[in-house]
Amino acid sequence: EAQVTQNPRYLITVTGKKLTVTCSQNMNHEYMSWYRQDPGLGLRQIYYSMNVEVTDKGDVPEGYKVSRKEKRNFPLILESPSPNQTSLYFCASSLSAANQPQHFGDGTRLSIL
Amino acid sequence: AQSVTQLDSHVSVSEGTPVLLRCNYSSSYSPSLFWYVQHPNKGLQLLLKYTSAATLVKGINGFEAEFKKSETSFHLTKPSAHMSDAAEYFCVVSDPYSGTYKYIFGTGTRLKVLA
């Protein structure tokens, strides 16, 4: 089954404790992306990747890192999380450049205390 | 720069009546436009997409949208609302020909369907 898998689905942690949210897709998609969803703001793009070793900033990259060492994986790293990063996070992938529909994971709800 | 404006944050309709969710976009080149639906506590599902083919686009579950370049609009419609349509809907624009490979989301419209 074609899918985008995120882990964990839920995480409560404390300020400053490094965390990684994993994202994996099994569709051989080139384009992958991370979003955060906050009430009233829709989804905002954090980082995206056009292909292996090619990443670029979205609209809200501050406080986040990503890497794309393999085509299928695109982890999101919060090196020193802060409470303003409490949000619902989605990973997505699409076949190629940003004119293709995206497939979304089920989301990761992060709470930073 | 690209942008998307969803004109209504909340829309309420009665079951069996038409649905209209409005979206205006800004893009300098040849945009691709999408509508996604998000049911409570779920991920996002693609409803339909416009990528410079036919201007009237049919999607899943009876939804359709019309691309109007002169009005820079991509409104989502459905002839008859069903209770299961209650969800949040997002309009999305992308335009890689502009040199940026981002997807820009609107702030969402929450659709309520009354029995």
Side-chain angles (χ1 to χ4, degrees), chain A residues 90-106:
Chain A
F90 286 99
C91 180
S93 72
S94 63
L95 190 61
S96 59
N99 60 353
Q100 300 290 324
Q102 297 176 92
H103 297 252
F104 284 84
D106 288 335

Side-chain angles (χ1 to χ4, degrees), chain A residues 1-3 11-13 21 26 31 33-35 44 51-52 54 64 72 74 76 83 88-89 96 100-101 111 113:
Chain A
E1 181 190 349
Q3 58 186 6
L11 179 63
I12 302 173
T13 187
V21 185
N26 63 359
Y31 187 100
S33 183
W34 277 104
Y35 298 87
R44 293 178 292 167
N51 214 325
V52 175
V54 181
Y64 304 94
R72 62 183 293 125
F74 191 47
L76 179 70
L88 179 59
Y89 291 85
S96 59
Q100 300 290 324
S111 294
L113 305 177

Side-chain angles (χ1 to χ4, degrees), chain A residues 16-74:
Chain A
K17 186 176 180 183
K18 181 179 179 179
L19 67 91
T20 299
V21 185
T22 64
C23 174
S24 180
Q25 51 94 4
N26 63 359
M27 296 167 279
N28 202 35
H29 284 171
E30 292 185 349
Y31 187 100
M32 297 186 74
S33 183
W34 277 104
Y35 298 87
R36 60 178 290 171
Q37 182 178 17
D38 301 291
L41 298 178
L43 278 78
R44 293 178 292 167
Q45 198 166 25
I46 302 170
Y47 271 95
Y48 63 91
S49 169
M50 296 288 290
N51 214 325
V52 175
E53 303 292 0
V54 181
T55 64
D56 209 345
K57 296 177 181 178
D59 290 324
V60 288
E62 295 78 19
Y64 304 94
K65 284 177 60 176
V66 292
S67 68
R68 187 96 181 270
K69 294 184 170 60
E70 305 166 281
K71 198 171 188 177
R72 62 183 293 125
N73 295 323
F74 191 47

Side-chain angles (χ1 to χ4, degrees), chain A residues 31 35 37 40-43 45 48 50 57-59 88 90 94 96-102 104-106 109, chain B residues 32 34 36 38 41-44 46 49 51 88 90 92 94-97 100-108:
Chain A
Y31 187 100
Y35 298 87
Q37 182 178 17
L41 298 178
L43 278 78
Q45 198 166 25
Y48 63 91
M50 296 288 290
K57 296 177 181 178
D59 290 324
L88 179 59
F90 286 99
S94 63
S96 59
N99 60 353
Q100 300 290 324
Q102 297 176 92
F104 284 84
D106 288 335
R109 189 167 291 282
Chain B
S32 294
F34 310 86
Y36 288 86
Q38 184 181 32
N41 301 312
K42 299 285 187 186
L44 283 85
L46 178 72
K49 63 178 181 179
T51 53
E88 189 155 26
F90 293 98
V92 183
S94 70
D95 192 353
Y97 301 104
T100 178
Y101 299 94
K102 298 179 185 178
Y103 289 88
I104 307 298
F105 279 69
T107 52

